[in-house]
Amino acid sequence: MFLSVFDIFKVGVGPSSSHTMGPMVAGARFLERLRGSPFAAHGLRARLHGSLAFTGKGHATDRATILGLAGFVPESYDAEAAEATLAANRETRVLTPPGLGALAFDPAHDLVFDYGPALPGHANGMVIEALDAEGDVLLQETYYSIGGGFVLTAAEAAAVDDRALSAPSPVPFPFRSAEEMLTMAAGSGRSIAAMKRANERKFRSEAEIEAGLARIWQVMDDCLSRGLATEGILPGGLSVKRRAKAIHEALLAERGMNLAPPHTVNDWISAYAMAVNEENAAGGQVVTAPTNGAAGVVPAVIRYWLDHVPGASRARVGEFLLTAAAIGGLIKVNASISGAECGCQAEVGSAAAMAAAGLAAVLGGTPEQIENAAEIALEHHLGMTCDPVKGLVQVPCIERNGLGAIKAISAASLALRGDGTHFVPLDAAIETMRQTGRDMHEHYKETSLGGLAVNVPNC
């Protein structure tokens, strides 16, 4: 099963890839199906289940669902147009998606938060229906938002089994495990990034790959820079204050001071990551890396490398991203990148493993050292819960990205001090994460029913 670098890194909108981008994508997919059906619908209805229901309002799932059913998609999201559409719907209780005309949709009745048992296919499930004038169902589809902005119908989810995952791949380096990746690297004499690039060339030209990688980094860097320049209170009711700008300004003022302690570099790293996740929490444009909730780790590590490491070059950011995507693909295929499925070990843990691998690569690491870096970073996030206060992607998510980035850099540095041999293989860490997520209580998997979410005042 091939996952492109452009599947792992997708341009989208905050605050959540699974709870915001996913429902928006599902709505747009349903509209496409409705356009091809023989039915003349009068209205629409959507039901949110599992984690989409429990933390949906904090994650803006309600807004995203409405906008998806109005025809919005994450990659071309226009904030002003979105606000105008939501305001019009509040007034008229109607949506007008392109090619379908006016469709009745009253969020008070047609957007249902079902707090009962989750749907069988995934913790993030939703059902969308097209209705006739009498309210009878004309067309219905079940969608699962499986993390990172990926969306599957119920039929697609059922078809993803071991046979589908192990089907022959058209790419020249079809590694499905870290062990296979290292074997192929040794046999070909290529780096992990070079193998990933060769795989991408089966579907895109070299120019398209370069342009796509450049855009990914540009959106990441723009998001980070906006976060460093913006202050104020984040939306959602927790009154969380943006801190990245003030921290960054203090660090700039301290530059050149002979008495600055070496550990201050950690504050730079945290400021970079927090800047991204403050933008994400505010609903800004971000890149899934591999998710929105963990979107700050990879760009923070890249920015640290570019701004603080001698010899760093923007020309090698593509190498970083390709290496990181190779690791992210292994984790997604063999475990999960969904907080609702495996907790935050699947989000920030995966992001840290990806960032550690990317940094080790651009610092000259061998494939074995890169695999070791990813393993160290993932291993030391195992068991991490996803327990957002009030269902918002703010506490502890924003700071957690800063610490995830610091761990990633430490993991890469530690791996580069060795020769690549180590005790725990990356494949074992990934499988352990999958098993830990399976055994983790639902209260700690993005439902806000346990952990910090119930032990910290929500107002």
Side-chain angles (χ1 to χ4, degrees):
M1 182 179 181
F2 174 71
L3 281 176
S4 170
V5 63
F6 305 112
D7 292 324
I8 297 296
F9 297 114
K10 293 190 287 288
V11 177
V13 60
S16 172
S17 49
S18 58
H19 289 61
T20 313
M21 289 174 60
M24 194 180 294
V25 169
R29 286 190 64 180
F30 186 79
L31 293 180
E32 196 57 38
R33 186 177 171 196
L34 187 57
R35 291 185 188 102
S37 78
F39 304 116
H42 173 78
L44 299 167
R45 182 165 59 208
R47 297 198 310 273
L48 306 174
H49 296 262
S51 180
L52 292 184
F54 283 107
T55 63
K57 292 181 180 177
H59 285 66
T61 307
D62 45 358
R63 289 168 50 92
T65 301
I66 296 168
L67 292 171
L69 293 174
F72 285 75
V73 290
E75 57 265 29
S76 59
Y77 180 77
D78 183 319
E80 289 187 12
E83 292 303 325
T85 296
L86 291 169
N89 178 249
R90 286 193 293 270
E91 239 352 94
T92 65
R93 306 297 189 266
V94 166
L95 295 173
T96 55
L100 289 170
L103 295 170
F105 187 85
D106 181 353
H109 303 288
D110 299 321
L111 183 57
V112 180
F113 288 78
D114 189 322
Y115 299 107
L119 296 178
H122 193 276
N124 293 329
M126 63 189 298
V127 178
I128 305 178
E129 299 168 333
L131 312 173
D132 64 16
E134 285 71 43
D136 294 324
V137 177
L138 297 172
L139 188 68
Q140 176 181 288
E141 186 61 85
T142 298
Y143 296 96
Y144 294 109
S145 179
I146 62 172
F150 292 89
V151 173
L152 298 175
T153 65
E156 290 166 347
V160 178
D161 56 18
D162 288 339
R163 288 172 299 170
L165 292 174
S166 60
S169 175
V171 299
F173 300 101
F175 50 85
R176 270 207 63 212
S177 68
E179 182 181 10
E180 290 178 353
M181 179 181 72
L182 293 178
T183 298
M184 291 179 188
S188 66
R190 298 193 187 206
S191 68
I192 294 170
M195 292 192 297
K196 186 68 176 167
R197 185 181 291 273
N199 289 347
E200 296 289 340
R201 279 201 293 266
K202 292 292 292 185
F203 305 95
R204 295 172 178 84
S205 68
E206 188 65 33
E208 289 172 328
I209 295 169
E210 283 301 309
L213 292 171
R215 181 169 186 252
I216 287 170
W217 171 239
Q218 190 63 60
V219 175
M220 283 181 171
D221 196 35
D222 287 347
C223 177
L224 195 160
S225 296
R226 285 195 308 273
L228 292 178
T230 307
E231 55 192 359
I233 303 298
L234 293 171
L238 288 182
S239 299
V240 172
K241 183 180 179 181
R242 285 182 181 247
R243 290 183 289 159
K245 181 176 185 287
I247 294 171
H248 187 238
E249 288 176 345
L251 289 167
L252 289 172
E254 293 168 9
R255 255 184 173 169
M257 292 176 60
N258 293 330
L259 297 179
H263 67 251
T264 300
V265 72
N266 289 331
D267 298 337
W268 286 92
I269 299 162
S270 291
Y272 294 152
M274 291 168 64
V276 172
N277 283 86
E278 286 172 357
E279 280 294 292
N280 177 65
Q285 187 182 57
V286 297
V287 174
T288 63
T291 65
N292 283 25
V297 177
V298 168
V301 174
I302 296 176
R303 186 72 169 260
Y304 158 78
W305 171 62
L306 290 174
D307 289 2
H308 299 271
V309 178
S313 168
R314 186 169 176 137
R316 298 186 66 195
V317 169
E319 180 184 351
F320 189 117
L321 293 172
L322 287 165
T323 306
I327 300 302
L330 292 178
I331 296 172
K332 175 167 172 50
V333 168
N334 293 298
S336 177
I337 58 170
S338 168
E341 195 169 25
C342 285
C344 200
Q345 58 174 354
E347 296 207 29
V348 170
S350 297
M354 292 164 59
L359 182 60
V362 296
L363 292 179
T366 65
E368 291 77 14
Q369 289 172 317
I370 292 166
E371 184 261 0
N372 188 14
E375 183 278 323
I376 294 170
L378 182 60
E379 179 183 345
H380 298 291
H381 282 88
L382 290 175
M384 182 173 281
T385 59
C386 182
D387 50 356
V389 177
K390 203 178 178 182
L392 298 167
V393 193
Q394 297 180 17
V395 179
C397 319
I398 294 171
E399 282 184 356
R400 187 168 285 175
N401 274 257
L403 274 293
I406 291 169
K407 281 188 183 181
I409 294 167
S410 297
S413 182
L414 189 59
L416 292 171
R417 293 291 182 182
D419 61 4
T421 59
H422 55 104
F423 192 81
V424 179
L426 175 58
D427 290 328
I430 292 172
E431 174 58 16
T432 302
M433 190 259 275
R434 186 191 70 80
Q435 293 176 9
T436 304
R438 178 196 62 198
D439 297 340
M440 189 181 289
H441 197 288
E442 297 300 317
H443 285 185
Y444 304 106
K445 293 194 285 189
E446 210 167 359
T447 59
S448 290
L449 295 175
L452 286 177
V454 299
N455 288 304
V456 174
N458 285 350
C459 58

